[in-house]
Amino acid sequence: MKETKIFEKPKSMVDVTTHYCPGCTHGVAHRLVAEIIDELGIQEKTVAVAPVGCAVFLYNYINVDAYEAAHGRAPAVASACKRLLPDSIVFSYQGDGDLASIGMAEIVHAANRGEHITVVFLNNAIYGMTGGQMAPTTLVGQKATTCPLGRDPKLAGYPIRMCEMLSTLQAPAYIARVSVAKPKYTLKAKEALRKAFQTQIDGKGFSFVEILSTCPTNWGLRPVDATNWLEEHMMPEFPLGEFKTPA
Amino acid sequence: MGKRFLMKGNEALAEAAIHAGCKYFFGYPITPQNEIPEYMSKKLPEIGGVYLQAESEVAAINMIFGAAGTGKRVMTSSSSPGVSLMSEGISYIAGAELPCVLMNIMRGGPGLGGILPSQSDYFQATRGGGHGDYRLLVLAPSTVQEAVDLTMLAFNLAEKYRSPVMILADGFMGQMMEAVEFKETHMDGLPDPAEWAVGYMKQRGSRALVKSLYLDPEELETHNWKLQAKYAEMTKNEKRHETYLADDAEILIAAYGTVARIARTSINELRAEGIKVGLFRPISLFPFPYEPLEALPKSVKQILTVEMSCGQMIEDVRLGVGKDMPVSMYGRVGGMTPSVEEIKDQVRKALGR
Ligand SMILES: Cc1ncc(C[n+]2csc(CCOP(=O)(O)OP(=O)(O)O)c2C)c(N)n1
Ligand code: SF4
Ligand SMILES: [Mg+2]
């Protein structure tokens, strides 16, 4: 019988096992980015900027030129790289602590300048890498190691909605929130990533894709339960959809 | 002699960078260095470069990280509080072995301090500032012409060692007007960015990684020793200093930057009174030129360090001369400057005259 290959690893993805925990969706997000890079044929001119967070080793899995930025500073690194290499396709990949806490100034200003970069924002409502501390996106009542009784808005405020906030700015061209928790969301996530990279290729400006993601380890849930928890609790707080699309 | 231009120190520093081939500037406004970004914002777009006003010094230094990773000549400038804010990024730049030029036009501290000239960031510049075992190559000009020459040299050295180089000057240098000449500088054998920078994946056939994380302690140790070997090379090759009337001096003034310039006038006037006084002026602060202090002329019986700080460079002077040579210190701080007369008085006092 003649075999036809219908599924394979993206070319720009390195053939290694990732360090992610079982059920972590960072890996799914990486794969989608790699598929888009392949489909757009931009591997050799793509530059990745990795964050500080669980995705710091992004460059071990996606085979493109890459920087490892200081915690939260990826948009500044990416902005400068793109300005010096305007023909490159530059993207940052950042967690919620990285982007919405320590790096808030850098993301807001890169967006506001309309930098021609793409930002992939992994929101898992927790500090994964450092062991489950409260993030700016942690839900009200959600337990974390630094809010053991659950996030109390009187003490710690409310989860920050980055897409909504950045959408108040005039410059950004594409802003969307997607999820990779279940296959039915993943296809849409891929389309959003494609649009985001295409926005950059077309020279239309800043593009931003927030991906609601799981962290079973620090949520204290089994992988399947984590995907359900994301659907039930995160999605109402962080509604999916496109917030801005290029003219 | 080439064409000479009458320029303010800060503008001369900026123009020197452009002459050295720097087309990319990222920074955040702070007095007393604002003429540098202002000059760059006008000139760089005219030559196809990039001027970008960052949202903070934190962002600015990380833009330098991103820009330097492309292998092109890039720079930022700031003043003391801004450099404090940049320190994390400078450590990352050193760790990732990126070439770039940083300028600190020092003002008085600590905290918000003041806006007048100071030399109180000597420790920060030469002893780290950021975390980890890294060094900056630090050059301290004392005239506007020297600021121009050292800036042009700084870009070559940054590339040669793939390391950040700092021009450490004070607010006087930034504001002073002098005639300067831009001499062409060229250094042979500089590494080709295509070998290591991002943006050459197609040409090189493999990707570049700009990073400083080594979770394996053995690897991180190896990386650290590699950096140290580089600093040892700098120490071997890049020490610079000047002496003035030192050969028969009884007392030597140790001073750098603007203070060295004031001290020269004091020395000329004291010499006219018959007092044998000379000058030792380090030009590179890291690597510090210890050797001339280790082998002082026999006539020298003591050293007077003069700084616009409470006593920072004096520690390197002491390291150089050893414990048998008396070293005293005269400092003015907070934007106050030692005057020619004050330095003369200090010398007379030290000699008991
Ligand atoms: C300046 C600085 N502060 C703190 C840290 C420690 N740190 C590393 S990762 C991290 C949080 C990462 O969380 P997030 O961005 O949400 O990424 P995740 O691991 O959840 O994907 C923190 C606080 C650091 N590396 N640098
Ligand atoms: S800690 Fe959480 S975010 Fe990090 S790899 Fe594990 S599951 Fe993923
Ligand atoms: Mg997170």
Side-chain angles (χ1 to χ4, degrees), chain A residues 26 52-55 71 94-99 102 124 126-130 135, chain B residues 88 92:
Chain A
H26 265 302
V52 176
C54 278
H71 195 21
Q94 304 174 253
D96 43 324
D98 193 82
L99 181 138
I102 195 168
N124 56 12
I126 201 95
Y127 281 23
M129 190 194 215
T130 39
Chain B
E88 181 205 36
Y92 276 70

Side-chain angles (χ1 to χ4, degrees), chain A residues 110-122:
Chain A
N112 192 49
R113 290 189 303 263
E115 296 287 348
H116 287 214
I117 59 172
T118 299
V119 175
V120 182
F121 169 42
L122 247 279

Side-chain angles (χ1 to χ4, degrees), chain A residues 4-247:
Chain A
T4 328
K5 215 174 187 178
I6 56 162
F7 188 82
E8 62 184 338
K9 227 176 179 108
K11 186 165 71 66
S12 54
M13 200 138 208
V14 183
D15 195 6
V16 290
T17 310
T18 73
H19 70 290
Y20 295 114
C21 306
C24 176
T25 46
H26 265 302
V28 182
H30 285 15
R31 186 189 161 101
L32 293 184
V33 170
E35 285 179 3
I36 296 296
I37 290 172
D38 284 2
E39 287 167 28
L40 295 172
I42 53 174
Q43 181 183 6
E44 285 174 338
K45 60 172 182 169
T46 296
V47 182
V49 185
V52 176
C54 278
V56 62
F57 288 130
L58 171 81
Y59 49 74
N60 284 351
Y61 310 129
I62 301 184
N63 182 23
V64 294
D65 275 343
Y67 293 88
E68 173 195 272
H71 195 21
R73 316 304 171 204
V77 175
S79 297
C81 176
K82 178 71 181 188
R83 290 208 183 206
L84 269 63
L85 304 175
D87 296 333
S88 294
I89 302 302
V90 183
F91 78 96
S92 75
Y93 182 109
Q94 304 174 253
D96 43 324
D98 193 82
L99 181 138
S101 189
I102 195 168
M104 184 59 105
E106 283 73 16
I107 187 61
V108 170
H109 286 276
N112 192 49
R113 290 189 303 263
E115 296 287 348
H116 287 214
I117 59 172
T118 299
V119 175
V120 182
F121 169 42
L122 247 279
N123 178 0
N124 56 12
I126 201 95
Y127 281 23
M129 190 194 215
T130 39
Q133 295 83 7
M134 186 182 70
T137 44
T138 294
L139 304 184
V140 169
Q142 183 189 338
K143 287 184 180 146
T145 58
T146 49
C147 52
L149 302 178
R151 181 177 189 160
D152 177 355
K154 288 204 287 295
L155 297 174
Y158 295 85
I160 296 179
R161 299 192 185 98
M162 286 307 303
C163 287
E164 287 81 345
M165 221 176 102
L166 295 179
S167 296
T168 66
L169 302 174
Q170 211 173 323
Y174 183 71
I175 296 180
R177 184 183 287 122
V178 296
S179 179
V180 287
K182 294 188 173 174
K184 62 177 170 184
Y185 303 119
T186 304
L187 285 177
K188 282 203 174 141
K190 184 169 173 183
E191 279 325 295
L193 286 167
R194 186 194 310 281
K195 280 192 199 170
F197 278 93
Q198 194 63 50
T199 298
Q200 185 177 164
I201 292 169
D202 296 342
K204 290 187 174 156
F206 182 83
S207 52
F208 183 91
V209 179
E210 174 174 343
I211 304 181
L212 301 185
S213 199
T214 58
C215 176
T217 304
N218 289 302
W219 292 356
L221 295 173
R222 288 181 307 151
V224 175
D225 297 338
T227 59
N228 292 331
W229 189 87
L230 189 155
E231 250 181 335
E232 277 168 41
H233 297 278
M234 281 183 81
M235 284 191 186
E237 184 68 38
F238 300 110
L240 304 188
E242 288 184 327
F243 295 79
K244 265 195 157 206
T245 50

Side-chain angles (χ1 to χ4, degrees), chain B residues 74-100:
Chain B
V74 303
M75 71 164 283
T76 186
S77 65
S78 189
S79 180
S80 312
V83 177
S84 292
L85 217 42
M86 288 183 178
S87 297
E88 181 205 36
I90 296 174
S91 167
Y92 276 70
I93 287 170
E97 300 188 76
L98 300 179
C100 64

Side-chain angles (χ1 to χ4, degrees), chain B residues 280-309:
Chain B
F280 166 74
R281 176 173 77 92
I283 297 170
S284 58
L285 303 183
F286 179 83
F288 192 87
Y290 294 110
E291 287 81 355
L293 295 176
E294 287 162 4
L296 286 169
K298 287 273 175 298
S299 58
V300 176
K301 297 293 181 286
Q302 59 169 310
I303 313 270
L304 170 67
T305 302
V306 186
E307 300 179 50
M308 287 193 284
S309 83

Side-chain angles (χ1 to χ4, degrees), chain B residues 1-76:
Chain B
M1 200 185 281
K3 207 170 161 205
R4 288 164 73 81
F5 303 85
L6 185 66
M7 289 182 99
K8 210 178 195 183
N10 278 336
E11 291 178 351
L13 283 165
E15 186 57 39
I18 293 172
H19 269 263
C22 170
K23 286 169 42 180
Y24 308 100
F25 182 96
F26 302 86
Y28 187 80
I30 185 168
T31 306
Q33 60 81 56
N34 288 324
E35 294 83 359
I36 301 176
E38 283 163 4
Y39 192 89
M40 291 304 205
S41 71
K42 183 161 165 279
K43 292 284 164 139
L44 292 181
E46 292 171 9
I47 57 168
V50 173
Y51 165 83
L52 181 54
Q53 183 166 318
E55 56 271 29
S56 67
E57 287 87 353
V58 175
I61 195 68
N62 285 285
M63 287 171 181
I64 291 291
F65 183 90
T70 68
K72 298 182 198 291
R73 293 193 159 188
V74 303
M75 71 164 283
T76 186

